[in-house]
Structures are given as structure tokens and as C-alpha cells.
Amino acid sequence: MTLYVSKSSIKGFNETNLRLNDPSCLVTTNGSHIIASVSLNSCGTQVEETLDELIFKNKMTSFDQLQDVITREHQFKILFICKFPKKSRLSASFEAQKSDYLFTEIPFGNFSYLFQFYDSSAFTKVINPNTYPVKVKLKNMIYMGISVQSSLSNIRLFVESCRATPHDNPNDPIYYDIISNGCIEDETTVVYLNNQTDFRFGLEAFNFIGNYEQVYISCTVILCSAGDPKTRCAQGCTNTSSARRRRSLVSETQRHSISQGPLCLDRTSSGSPGSSLNLNILVITVVFIWPLSWLLGL
């Protein structure tokens, strides 16, 4: 908290003979005003508590120099306080988004996965994560892309599985398989032309039956050395039993889970041809209770 006092209102005093509750805390000046600036737990600041508020108090007082014998100035003190309500109702925007997934494994070094939504099958424009959740209309196409970034060139990305869940939890008991063991499970899923480090696909939008407002997409990915026929990447679509094999520590990474979302159903208007995604920001209202420990940390 900061107190500004005009020098013209306290003639005869300056920053050299003014202090706060803690005598070691002096004040400053900007030329026209005397300034006292303190945090809520320093310079002798005192705290009082009522039923509704926390009140922090300090004061600016004048003092005489030790070498002075007399004075012709009145002594004065200025009390300044700062009040915080214990409860306050605030509005905040909820912007769900996922950043890059970073991993380090021998011998692949550092690498990262990026999972993004796109606005069309051209995969040229990424939907801004700040506009999440992404609103979709039933049966309109959702376009997604997974890419890997690495300093190595001879690598291959493999998306082994993808599933949808109503919560941001890939192990949610309620799920819908899109890709399983490298095989397409959803009949509307389309895999587009990809390269060794990118996987782009799309499917028709849907909604979980029941009281579920959102959909998250989680995928299991593996990074392999390109050209090695013994890796999981080279096997592609396979059944569960043949997929049970010992992982090559040299030619492929561990399985990593990445996710993106949420998607939510657009119930406001009907869709139009060529329009697959509509964006908005979900606004929630929360109540914060400010504990004393939080305030003292300011």
C-alpha cells in the first residue's frame, strides 16, 4: 500500500525526518509529494480482523534528529490503512488449452508433441487455443493434427490410439474409441495425407449421451527410428495380441499420452455447408476467499 502526501500540506517537514511504524523504514519523495510505500507484512504494518474484512494499518510520523535540542515544528502523524473484504465475487474467463508435450529419452534426446485443432481439411489455419472450448455442430467435421518436433531427421511418428472422453482424463470409464492399436474404429474418421512427423485426421462431431457438455480427445503416440521394420511404427494396424511385444530401447520411445480439448456442442444455430467450427470462450463465475497467508505474500 502507498501513501502520497503533498509537501505543501506539511511545510517544514521532508523525507529526512519522517518515518513509518518501523523506525528503520523511511519515506521517499518525488519532488512534490512525500511517499510511503510498504507491503502488507513489512515496516511495522499491523493487521486487524473483523467479521467481513482484513484491515492493514501503518502510519507516517515525524521525528526529531538526535542532535537537535529544540524544535519549532509541530509533531504529526498520518494513519493510512488498506482494507480487503474476506469474500469477493469475481468473473474470470476459462481458457482450456494444452501446450507442447516435452519428453527426453535415450537415444532420441529432446522431442515434443503438438496436438492442435484446425478449421478445415486444408490444415493451414490452427484454431487459436485462446478461443477454447471449440464449439461444433453435430455431424460437422472436426479436423485435428498431431506433430512431433525433434532435432533428429530420421524419425517417424505413430499414433497408436485415440479416444474421446467427456472429461480431461484418458482413463475415464466413459470413452469412445476413434483409433485402437493403429486401426480406425470410428466409421467417419478420415486420415489425410501425412508425412513421417505429422498425423492429420478428421471425424464427424458427436456428443456423449447423458449430462455431458464437453468432449476431450486423447491419443497415445510413439516415436520410432524411420526405416526399422521391427518397430511398432512399422507394424501399423494390428490386433491386441500381436501388439504385445518387447519395446526396442534403441529404435522407439515409450508410449506417451497427449490430449486436447474441450469441444462442446453448438446448440445455438443450425450449421451451414462449409462451416464446421464455431468458437467461443466459456465464462465461469467463481468465489475467491482470500486467506491471510495469501495477502501477506503480496
Side-chain angles (χ1 to χ4, degrees):
M1 53 185 178
T2 303
L3 171 69
Y4 291 87
V5 180
S6 173
K7 281 189 172 182
S8 61
S9 65
I10 52 172
K11 292 181 179 180
F13 295 95
N14 56 52
E15 66 274 13
T16 60
N17 55 1
L18 298 172
R19 66 188 180 194
L20 303 177
N21 279 349
D22 184 346
S24 64
C25 292
L26 303 179
V27 299
T28 60
T29 180
N30 62 4
S32 61
H33 290 78
I34 301 294
I35 305 171
S37 183
V38 298
S39 64
L40 301 182
N41 63 342
S42 66
C43 294
T45 300
Q46 301 172 338
V47 60
E48 295 180 2
E49 183 175 3
T50 67
L51 291 176
D52 301 317
E53 295 177 317
L54 291 175
I55 305 172
F56 297 85
K57 297 181 178 181
N58 209 316
K59 61 179 179 288
M60 177 191 296
T61 59
S62 60
F63 68 96
D64 297 320
Q65 301 294 338
L66 293 177
Q67 67 272 18
D68 292 341
V69 177
I70 65 170
T71 181
R72 290 188 171 88
E73 301 293 344
H74 293 290
Q75 301 299 305
F76 77 95
K77 65 179 179 180
I78 301 176
L79 177 69
F80 58 106
I81 65 175
C82 187
K83 295 182 179 181
F84 287 91
K86 289 183 177 179
K87 295 182 180 180
S88 180
R89 185 173 295 276
L90 304 174
S91 293
S93 62
F94 173 74
E95 300 174 354
Q97 55 181 308
K98 306 281 186 176
S99 59
D100 292 9
Y101 292 83
L102 306 176
F103 301 98
T104 300
E105 287 189 35
I106 298 174
F108 290 87
N110 299 323
F111 57 95
S112 62
Y113 294 109
L114 186 61
F115 194 172
Q116 297 173 305
F117 290 115
Y118 290 82
D119 69 344
S120 73
S121 60
F123 293 95
T124 56
K125 184 178 179 181
V126 174
I127 294 177
N128 187 346
N130 292 328
T131 62
Y132 284 20
V134 179
K135 298 193 75 174
V136 298
K137 300 180 186 299
L138 286 178
K139 294 189 176 182
N140 277 8
M141 290 295 289
I142 307 166
Y143 302 100
M144 293 165 280
I146 299 173
S147 61
V148 62
Q149 297 178 342
S150 169
S151 60
L152 302 179
S153 58
N154 192 34
I155 55 175
R156 179 180 176 184
L157 168 66
F158 179 63
V159 178
E160 186 177 50
S161 65
C162 286
R163 64 171 43 178
T165 58
H167 307 102
D168 192 12
N169 177 12
N171 298 316
D172 196 308
I174 300 173
Y175 64 89
Y176 176 72
D177 280 330
I178 301 170
I179 301 173
S180 180
N181 295 312
C183 306
I184 303 299
E185 298 289 339
D186 173 75
E187 61 182 10
T188 70
T189 296
V190 178
V191 176
Y192 295 88
L193 183 63
N194 298 305
N195 56 44
Q196 291 191 153
T197 58
D198 292 276
F199 182 79
R200 296 170 178 174
F201 64 110
L203 72 156
E204 289 185 4
F206 61 89
N207 193 39
F208 281 101
I209 297 174
N211 188 27
Y212 302 109
E213 298 295 328
Q214 298 180 330
V215 174
Y216 291 84
I217 309 295
S218 301
C219 295
T220 299
V221 292
I222 302 173
L223 189 61
C224 304
S225 296
D228 188 337
K230 297 181 180 180
T231 64
R232 180 67 185 91
C233 302
Q235 289 183 345
C237 174
T238 183
N239 58 49
T240 304
S241 58
S242 63
R244 294 174 181 171
R245 37 177 283 283
R246 186 171 183 178
R247 181 173 66 92
S248 171
L249 297 178
V250 177
S251 300
E252 65 185 72
T253 67
Q254 300 181 53
R255 289 175 172 84
H256 295 289
S257 179
I258 61 176
S259 64
Q260 191 54 275
L263 303 158
C264 65
L265 186 62
D266 185 358
R267 306 176 187 272
T268 59
S269 61
S270 60
S272 59
S275 174
S276 59
L277 298 175
N278 187 18
L279 315 178
N280 80 336
I281 297 177
L282 174 65
V283 177
I284 60 174
T285 301
V286 296
V287 176
F288 291 99
I289 299 177
W290 298 348
L292 176 58
S293 60
W294 181 85
L295 293 172
L296 293 180
L298 289 179

